[in-house]
Amino acid sequence: MSNKVGEQTIIFKNKPKIIGNFSVVGEKEGHGPFKDYFHHILEDDLFGESSFEHAERKMLEYAISSSIEKAKLNINKIDLIVGGDLLNQIISTSFTARHFDRPFLGIYGACSTMAESLAVGATFVDGEYFKNVVCATGTHFSTAERQYRFPLELGNQRPPTSQWTVTGAGSSVLSLNSNGHSITYATLGKVTDYGINDVNNMGAAMAPSAMSTLISHFQDTKTTPDDYDLIVTGDLGKLGSEILMDLMEHNGYKLGKNYNDCGQMIFNNNQKTFQGGSGCGCSASVLNSYILKKMDEGVFKKVLFAATGALLSTLSTQQGDTIPGICHAVVIERDERVGRK
Amino acid sequence: MKKEKHISRNEQYNIYVESKIPKTKSFPTLIWAFLVGGLICMIGQGISDGLMALFPNMGQEEASAWVSVILIFIASLLTGLGWYDRIGVFAGAGSIVPITGFSNSITSPAVEFKKEGIIFGLCVKMFTVAGPVIVCGLVISFLTGLIYLIF
């Protein structure tokens, strides 16, 4: 009996549950539309540390340990931590993991890391290899800026297609025990490249990968966009989401009002981010705050969470390569026992 | 055959994306660049005139050198205080093209990479932004000098 359906999708028959979740965001994100949903908002982007890299680690550490607390577990009960981030050699996550003294699996899927870690974590839990698995990721605006772009104080102008890397981290604890919304399917994406080489237009570079994964998902699971209360992409931004909607329509799938994008949702229009947010922390913090809370309330019953990532590096850009994208999707279904307090 | 099709799909997509991209509004951008750039030049002229009025023995050339020094210092200071990038957001080329922009492009990486140490951070990364400008400037002035020498 195979747990694979169609080409790229796996089904989790035991329904691993998200039994604890936590989100931390920076000050700017804390002024956005989800300020009442985030668990913790930093007052200072350095989080009391000496560098932004250290602050990113501290955010991750805080998110992971708080999500474990929310799951009413202690760290010794965690069998595995799965996660990644954007910094070279994923230092933020692996350096954070050394504090926990638990098995760690570092992954890199650029900004698709939240969905990727949930898919990997859910597989371990569903197969009953591990009982409790933590899935976490995070980014920091200032660390991403200096790695991919320019120094913070440089007086340059950002182009209108650019996005703003979210300062934030999110963590979810998966387990078969206890109550929580369950992960029922995961569709693993293919690396897709439609020949975009503008690093300031990530939305356009990643939209084809989102299209590819969504179409495969609908075909594999024999569902349509209307079967979901929310279909949410990771960080395509406003322009990228419009492109995705066009691409999907071109392929015979109409994304309607139930479609949105975390990058588009996380900032207000007056926050001058142009196309919206990006980064691992974008989809991670929105999922672990707004989306799961709305599922608690029963507003969303079935969510298709498709985080998107641009798999470039500064080196590939300098050598003139185009930007490949990837998108992984997981289906989260509401647990009716949650949120009826 | 298959490769040709692949290329055309990407080309098609690029053309489509290009048509969707929001364009920078050139009118307000130009006005702001003109105003801020002009203001910086006016400040420079003011410093020059002021210096020459204060020190009657100072020649135009010496005064101009002092103007550069003072403007570079002010821009560096504003960068360190974290204000220059805020001017850059609306001024664009207006604050990049004058000598103050050059100062900002050297100070900003110096401030940014200070945490990686004085030698390997600050000293190494200081010219990451301005480096190409300096190299091109040197090469071009060398070539110009060569042409001048020959003819």
Side-chain angles (χ1 to χ4, degrees):
Chain A
M1 249 209 343
S2 172
N3 289 335
K4 185 179 164 212
V5 286
E7 279 278 303
Q8 290 166 246
T9 306
I10 49 175
I11 176 166
F12 300 119
K13 287 184 175 147
N14 292 321
K15 300 194 174 180
K17 294 169 183 70
I18 301 175
I19 62 166
N21 63 286
F22 200 83
S23 56
V24 191
V25 292
E27 196 202 346
K28 187 182 175 89
E29 292 70 19
H31 288 114
F34 296 148
K35 58 177 182 286
D36 301 328
Y37 292 94
F38 296 125
H39 296 94
H40 185 81
I41 295 167
L42 305 186
E43 285 167 13
D44 147 38
D45 271 2
L46 270 170
F47 209 176
E49 295 288 312
S50 59
S51 75
F52 292 119
E53 281 76 11
H54 285 119
E56 186 173 319
R57 282 173 219 164
K58 193 173 168 188
M59 275 196 314
L60 261 167
E61 190 182 337
Y62 187 55
I64 292 173
S65 50
S66 307
S67 66
I68 297 170
E69 232 168 76
K70 291 244 169 193
K72 298 190 181 66
L73 294 171
N74 64 46
I75 185 68
N76 300 321
K77 290 271 187 269
I78 300 299
D79 300 308
L80 178 71
I81 297 170
V82 188
D85 56 89
L86 286 184
L87 296 191
N88 294 339
Q89 287 79 40
I90 54 166
I91 48 169
S92 301
T93 328
S94 39
F95 280 47
T96 304
R98 81 184 153 183
H99 295 292
F100 291 111
D101 197 28
R102 304 308 301 161
F104 167 67
L105 200 56
I107 56 171
Y108 183 78
C111 313
S112 71
T113 304
M114 193 66 223
E116 187 179 359
S117 61
L118 285 174
V120 171
T123 310
F124 279 117
V125 172
D126 191 63
E128 294 179 72
Y129 295 103
F130 291 119
K131 251 189 190 149
N132 305 309
V133 174
V134 171
C135 306
T137 183
T139 40
H140 196 298
F141 170 77
S142 303
T143 62
E145 262 325 272
R146 72 190 303 205
Q147 181 176 303
Y148 290 102
R149 294 174 200 100
F150 293 114
L152 291 174
E153 301 302 336
L154 186 70
N156 59 332
Q157 272 180 327
R158 297 165 57 242
T161 49
S162 63
Q163 288 169 264
W164 188 277
T165 308
V166 165
T167 300
S171 172
S172 316
V173 185
L174 301 182
S175 174
L176 292 182
N177 309 321
S178 180
N179 297 339
H181 310 304
S182 48
I183 299 183
T184 49
Y185 292 93
T187 303
L188 305 182
K190 299 175 192 162
V191 178
T192 316
D193 191 337
Y194 271 43
I196 295 288
N197 54 14
D198 180 4
V199 287
N200 287 309
N201 194 356
M202 295 291 190
M206 297 188 292
S209 61
M211 171 197 72
S212 154
T213 302
L214 289 182
I215 291 177
S216 300
H217 178 81
F218 294 137
Q219 283 172 351
D220 291 349
T221 57
K222 298 190 175 60
T223 52
T224 66
D226 296 331
D227 293 323
Y228 299 90
D229 300 306
L230 177 70
I231 298 169
V232 64
T233 45
D235 56 351
L236 295 180
K238 289 187 198 81
L239 178 66
S241 327
E242 279 171 29
I243 293 175
L244 175 66
M245 286 163 89
D246 282 356
L247 289 174
M248 291 299 282
E249 203 167 345
H250 193 70
N251 283 282
Y253 290 93
K254 185 141 180 52
L255 294 178
K257 276 201 173 135
N258 59 347
Y259 168 70
N260 215 328
D261 177 79
C262 296
Q264 182 171 247
M265 294 192 284
I266 195 166
F267 291 115
N268 285 322
N269 279 336
N270 60 10
Q271 287 186 292
K272 293 191 180 138
T273 59
F274 294 113
Q275 300 302 327
S278 69
C280 307
C282 180
S283 56
S285 60
V286 173
L287 173 75
N288 285 297
S289 58
Y290 173 76
I291 296 175
L292 287 176
K293 224 168 244 179
K294 284 287 173 196
M295 290 188 82
D296 287 351
E297 291 167 11
V299 178
F300 305 136
K301 292 193 170 67
K302 196 177 179 192
V303 173
L304 180 57
F305 174 71
T308 40
L311 302 169
L312 79 171
S313 82
T314 47
L315 191 94
S316 69
T317 309
Q318 283 164 356
Q319 295 190 349
D321 288 315
T322 52
I323 307 168
I326 192 152
C327 172
H328 301 295
V330 291
V331 176
I332 307 168
E333 286 182 46
R334 180 166 191 261
D335 179 351
E336 297 296 334
R337 289 164 297 184
V338 175
R340 280 202 191 147
K341 283 157 207 165
Chain B
M1 187 69 201
K2 210 178 174 190
K3 206 179 174 193
E4 242 178 59
K5 204 181 166 194
H6 183 77
I7 292 167
S8 83
R9 180 201 69 180
N10 288 4
E11 274 174 357
Q12 240 178 14
Y13 184 63
N14 267 285
I15 293 164
Y16 157 75
V17 168
E18 198 58 42
S19 72
K20 294 274 294 185
I21 287 178
K23 301 283 178 289
T24 307
K25 292 184 192 100
S26 36
F27 189 69
T29 319
L30 286 171
I31 294 286
W32 275 115
F34 174 76
L35 286 177
V36 176
L39 183 72
I40 293 171
C41 296
M42 245 171 69
I43 294 171
Q45 189 61 49
I47 295 170
S48 172
D49 290 352
L51 282 174
M52 287 205 289
L54 272 175
F55 308 102
N57 293 333
M58 194 181 270
Q60 180 64 50
E61 224 164 79
E62 200 186 339
S64 300
W66 277 107
V67 170
S68 300
V69 171
I70 293 167
L71 282 182
I72 287 173
F73 171 77
I74 294 173
S76 252
L77 184 72
L78 290 179
T79 305
L81 292 171
W83 293 346
Y84 202 85
D85 58 321
R86 288 182 211 176
I87 301 171
V89 167
F90 61 86
S95 61
I96 293 173
V97 177
I99 200 163
T100 48
F102 192 66
S103 161
N104 168 255
S105 73
I106 292 183
T107 315
S108 58
V111 172
E112 179 99 11
F113 291 97
K114 203 178 65 199
K115 292 196 180 78
E116 280 75 37
I118 299 289
I119 302 290
F120 291 104
L122 193 149
C123 296
V124 172
K125 301 275 190 176
M126 202 169 195
F127 296 102
T128 45
V129 181
V133 183
I134 296 171
V135 173
C136 290
L138 282 175
V139 171
I140 302 247
S141 46
F142 172 75
L143 291 176
T144 318
L146 214 62
I147 291 165
Y148 182 75
L149 204 75
I150 294 166
F151 299 104

